[in-house]
């Protein structure tokens, strides 16, 4: 099951102010989902998204749990053929692959009932 906190990021640049407003609003969806885990044990996140890629004890006594999502986008190459003065010319654009890594971090403190999430770091724009 792929790791998704919210709707996948845009694959190409969007045009127009409506798309810009949507792009700015999307990170709120991720934060809303993350906010839903505050007060719950880290195992609740693990049950949905699998084990974290990193767990660290912090100097203030809290613990940081971090999940990573990797999104790979491949754009197929293209072929353009033009005709000039009776001659045919074909140009090829290469295939490109882009990779975006998004990190989702939760912070937890120890209670008598075990670790409980008390906060999170907002993911960067586009995640």
């Amino acid at each position: 099951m792929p790791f998704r906190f919210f709707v996948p990021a845009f694959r190409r640049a969007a045009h127009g102010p409506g798309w810009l407003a949507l792009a700015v609003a999307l990170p709120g969806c991720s934060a809303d989902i993350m906010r839903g885990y505050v007060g719950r044990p880290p195992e609740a996140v693990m049950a949905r998204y699998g084990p974290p890629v990193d767990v660290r004890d912090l100097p203030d006594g809290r613990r940081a749990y971090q999940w990573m999502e990797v999104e790979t986008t491949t754009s197929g190459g293209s072929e353009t053929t033009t005709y000039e003065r009776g001659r045919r010319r074909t140009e090829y654009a290469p295939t490109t692959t882009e990779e975006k890594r998004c990190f989702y971090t939760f912070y937890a403190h120890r209670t008598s009932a075990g670790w409980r999430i008390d906060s999170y770091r907002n993911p960067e724009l586009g995640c």
Side-chain angles (χ1 to χ4, degrees):
M1 168 172 57
F3 179 80
R4 294 269 180 231
F5 267 113
F6 67 102
V7 178
F10 289 105
R11 301 230 189 265
R12 298 231 180 247
H15 300 288
W19 286 109
L20 180 59
L22 182 60
V24 171
L26 281 178
C29 299
S30 176
D32 289 343
I33 291 170
M34 294 177 79
R35 188 177 304 115
Y37 287 102
V38 172
R40 298 175 66 189
E43 290 79 13
V45 183
M46 291 178 210
R48 178 68 175 95
Y49 300 105
V53 294
D54 193 22
V55 178
R56 293 186 187 253
D57 289 325
L58 303 175
D60 65 2
R62 294 186 307 155
R63 185 173 279 179
Y65 295 84
Q66 191 168 65
W67 282 261
M68 178 178 66
E69 173 188 26
V70 178
E71 184 176 312
T72 303
T73 305
T74 301
S75 171
S78 63
E79 175 183 314
T80 306
T81 302
T82 57
Y83 296 91
E84 292 180 21
R85 290 180 247 167
R87 295 185 66 186
R88 176 180 158 173
R89 179 179 174 174
T90 303
E91 295 179 354
Y92 300 93
T95 299
T96 59
T97 301
E98 294 179 22
E99 182 177 278
K100 177 153 180 73
R101 293 178 183 224
C102 294
F103 292 93
Y104 301 90
T105 307
F106 289 93
Y107 299 99
H109 66 280
R110 186 184 293 275
T111 68
S112 60
W115 292 96
R116 294 287 184 233
I117 295 171
D118 58 25
S119 61
Y120 56 91
R121 177 181 298 228
N122 282 328
E124 67 181 64
L125 187 64
C127 286

